[in-house]
């Protein structure tokens, strides 16, 4: 009976250690994801800055065409409209970059630290509880065997008397 209990305890303890091991081994993957997401966000921000600079220069060309004489005024106003449409794309790119940072990268970074602490705490608490439970099971099993032997001896003694 004690061997069966020991086997079940070992199986459950092994399962727990497998889960904790999986959690610990996935941590570098999440950190890599966060790093790569940060690099993407940085590139998006740099792209938005480059688009802003380009559109400023493009607007100067459009203004030059608009302020000139003749048929280029129509071209200048068309370029200005085109520039305005691209400004809305620029604004959406900046908004996406900020949402990416505030909605994904920052929360994941904050959660990673808490998650690491939680995994370590779970592992330590489990080790203490597992050790205590095994000791308790061994003691109860030992007490049960003693009682069975005592009863068996008492029972045999009673039979011998009769």
């Amino acid at each position: 009976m004690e061997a069966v209990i020991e086997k079940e305890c070992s199986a459950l303890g092994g399962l727990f250690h497998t889960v904790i091991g999986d959690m610990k081994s996935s941590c570098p993957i999440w950190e890599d994801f966060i790093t790569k997401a940060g690099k993407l966000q940085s590139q998006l921000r740099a792209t938005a800055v480059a688009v802003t600079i380009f559109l400023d220069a493009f607007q100067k060309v459009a203004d030059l065409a608009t302020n000139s004489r003749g048929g280029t005024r129509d071209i200048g106003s068309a370029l200005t409209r085109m520039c305005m449409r691209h400004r809305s794309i620029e604004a959406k790119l900046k908004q996406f970059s900020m949402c990416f940072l505030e909605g994904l990268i920052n929360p994941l970074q904050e959660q990673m630290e808490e998650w690491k602490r939680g995994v370590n705490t779970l592992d330590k608490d489990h080790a203490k509880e597992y050790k205590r439970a095994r000791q308790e099971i061994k003691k109860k099993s030992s007490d049960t065997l003693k009682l069975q032997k005592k009863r068996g001896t008492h029972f045999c003694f009673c039979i011998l008397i009769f």
Side-chain angles (χ1 to χ4, degrees), residues 35-73:
T35 301
K36 299 296 190 302
K39 288 179 181 179
L40 175 61
Q41 194 275 335
S42 176
Q43 291 299 316
L44 287 171
R45 192 174 56 239
T47 301
V49 169
V51 167
T52 300
I53 292 168
F54 171 76
L55 289 176
D56 288 345
F58 190 75
Q59 184 63 54
K60 288 178 185 175
V61 170
D63 290 345
L64 179 67
T66 303
N67 294 331
S68 67
R69 295 183 190 153
T72 57
R73 283 186 171 185

Side-chain angles (χ1 to χ4, degrees), residues 105-124:
I105 299 169
N106 289 344
L108 276 178
Q109 283 177 331
E110 292 168 7
Q111 197 64 31
M112 277 300 294
E113 296 305 317
E114 186 178 323
W115 184 62
K116 285 179 188 176
R117 283 191 301 272
V119 168
N120 288 332
T121 302
L122 269 175
D123 197 20
K124 288 177 186 176

Side-chain angles (χ1 to χ4, degrees), residues 65-84:
T66 303
N67 294 331
S68 67
R69 295 183 190 153
T72 57
R73 283 186 171 185
D74 294 335
I75 294 172
S77 60
L79 290 176
T80 299
R81 284 192 304 274
M82 187 179 192
C83 186
M84 297 311 265

Side-chain angles (χ1 to χ4, degrees), residues 94-158:
K94 286 180 180 179
Q95 181 184 11
F96 175 70
S97 175
M98 289 308 298
C99 288
F100 195 63
L101 178 67
E102 294 170 356
L104 178 69
I105 299 169
N106 289 344
L108 276 178
Q109 283 177 331
E110 292 168 7
Q111 197 64 31
M112 277 300 294
E113 296 305 317
E114 186 178 323
W115 184 62
K116 285 179 188 176
R117 283 191 301 272
V119 168
N120 288 332
T121 302
L122 269 175
D123 197 20
K124 288 177 186 176
D125 290 349
H126 174 263
K128 289 177 190 175
E129 286 294 316
Y130 183 72
K131 195 173 190 179
R132 186 193 58 74
R134 280 185 70 157
Q135 299 255 338
E136 192 175 309
I137 288 171
K138 282 183 179 180
K139 185 177 182 324
K140 300 276 184 193
S141 182
S142 174
D143 292 348
T144 303
L145 284 174
K146 286 178 186 176
L147 282 172
Q148 285 176 346
K149 285 180 182 177
K150 194 174 187 181
R151 273 188 162 171
T153 318
H154 183 66
F155 181 70
C156 289
F157 184 70
C158 291

